[in-house]
Amino acid sequence: MILPPLFYAGDTAAIAQKLLGCYLVRLSSAGAVIGRIVETEAYLHGDPAAHSYRGETERTRVMFGAPGHAYVYFIYGMHFCVNAVTGLPDRRGEAVLIRALEPVEGIALMMHRRRATKLRDLCSGPGKLCQALDITRDLNGVSLSNGLLQIWSADTLPGSPENPEIVQTTRIGIQKAADLLLRLYLKDNLYISRK
DNA sequence: CCGGTGATGCCCT
DNA sequence: GGGCATCACCGGT
């Protein structure tokens, strides 16, 4: 079942945890691709590591919009990253970065887009998964509850444990607020970006 | 497996 | 003009 917009209107750190095990679904003319979310990071209101920290700009406009939409940004001159806009009270610039997926469906298409052959290299990082799912700036601002990019609940497909063990640790690649435990991943999962 | 490093575009100061 | 929510590649283990 598609997660409804209300799913994203709540405590952002809690949503980052609840998104683990859910499915990121990308529909396109090339075919459908599905990955199970195995790693996330929360970015909060008043969080110096969040893009929204310095207020709303053209780039961060979507972050300050309604929960349940995709915030896609371009980084390091060559990569995209995708977030789910979250938060209640909403429109404060909170979001959850999707950092890694376990490939589920459309693996041949993902391998073609990534020019990769190893399953573990397909979606084990925020830039990699955007390449595998063809997520670019075109998808910035789209609803996650209908359309070309969706998130489905964990019970949509068989194979996920009911109460998976979750590891909570520090976020990757940031300097500010580096001590906050806002990175979450499924314990022992082979497809996370790094240990 | 691990760590170091260069490539690259654009946002913000 | 600095810095960035990254990645692939290379070399040494």
Side-chain angles (χ1 to χ4, degrees), chain A residues 107-175:
Chain A
I107 289 167
L109 179 53
M110 288 194 260
M111 286 185 169
H112 173 72
R113 286 171 173 159
R114 291 267 308 128
R115 296 167 199 54
T117 54
K118 289 197 285 236
L119 209 52
R120 284 181 56 174
D121 289 337
L122 285 187
C123 302
S124 52
K128 295 179 188 176
L129 73 90
C130 281
Q131 190 178 18
L133 272 63
D134 189 27
I135 295 171
T136 67
R137 62 180 101 251
D138 294 351
L139 292 180
N140 187 37
V142 299
S143 168
L144 295 170
S145 300
N146 56 50
L148 299 179
L149 189 64
Q150 309 176 355
I151 302 182
W152 294 358
S153 63
D155 59 13
T156 304
L157 299 176
S160 288
E162 193 133 330
N163 290 308
E165 251 192 285
I166 291 168
V167 179
Q168 184 175 344
T169 181
T170 53
R171 296 175 291 184
I172 291 187
I174 59 166
Q175 310 299 314

